[in-house]
Amino acid sequence: MSPLFLRLPHRPALLRLAGALGVAILAGCSSAAPEPPLLQLQELTSAPRCSADMHCRTLPVGARACGGPSRYLVWSTLVNREEELKALAAQVTAQEKARNAASGRMSTCELLADPGAHCDFAIGQCVAGGGASVRQGSPSQ
């Protein structure tokens, strides 16, 4: 350590600050950070309000290396527009397919089942799981 650092009166505070900055910098280096369209999707679907099961849907998103979606997001017809979500999901899926092809990524070839969604009346939000209604996409599906 430099002699100047040793003479500073608030050395413990500086050490804490340096440690916090190091953690913040390392956190930003994650290679698994979601792409902007995925962040948008997650933000748009973060509070899927409902008052009935018919308001709850699931959206397949992404691409597994062996095929099929990499995840399902729960969303609400009271809060979201299906066209907007599907467009963002298509972007995420295209990005993941390209990344899989470029990297030669492998995965288990298990089908990721749609968990369905239903309204949890206690909290007034759509949640994943069979419940009373299992819906994907629009009501006509």
Side-chain angles (χ1 to χ4, degrees):
M1 260 183 245
S2 75
L4 175 63
F5 184 77
L6 293 173
R7 288 184 302 212
L8 291 175
H10 301 294
R11 191 172 37 174
L14 288 174
L15 287 173
R16 283 193 303 275
L17 177 61
L21 286 174
V23 169
I25 290 168
L26 288 176
C29 292
S30 172
S31 63
E35 304 291 350
L38 181 55
L39 287 174
Q40 288 176 307
L41 265 176
Q42 290 170 334
E43 185 177 319
L44 288 172
T45 60
S46 65
R49 291 187 329 269
C50 62
S51 58
D53 286 333
M54 68 183 191
H55 299 139
C56 302
R57 305 278 188 276
T58 57
L59 179 69
V61 179
R64 296 180 82 173
C66 253
S70 57
R71 69 189 69 73
Y72 285 89
L73 293 179
V74 174
W75 63 281
S76 169
T77 59
L78 290 178
V79 178
N80 304 111
R81 293 187 329 228
E82 184 173 17
E83 302 78 29
E84 180 181 20
L85 296 181
K86 282 186 173 184
L88 287 168
Q91 289 178 35
V92 172
T93 300
Q95 288 173 345
E96 287 187 13
K97 281 183 180 179
R99 213 171 18 249
N100 289 342
S103 70
R105 186 174 294 169
M106 306 277 291
S107 73
T108 62
C109 291
E110 298 172 274
L111 174 64
L112 183 61
D114 181 348
H118 69 279
C119 187
D120 182 333
F121 299 109
I123 60 172
Q125 286 197 344
C126 297
V127 295
S133 176
V134 178
R135 296 180 187 263
Q136 176 184 346
S138 59
S140 61
Q141 286 185 324

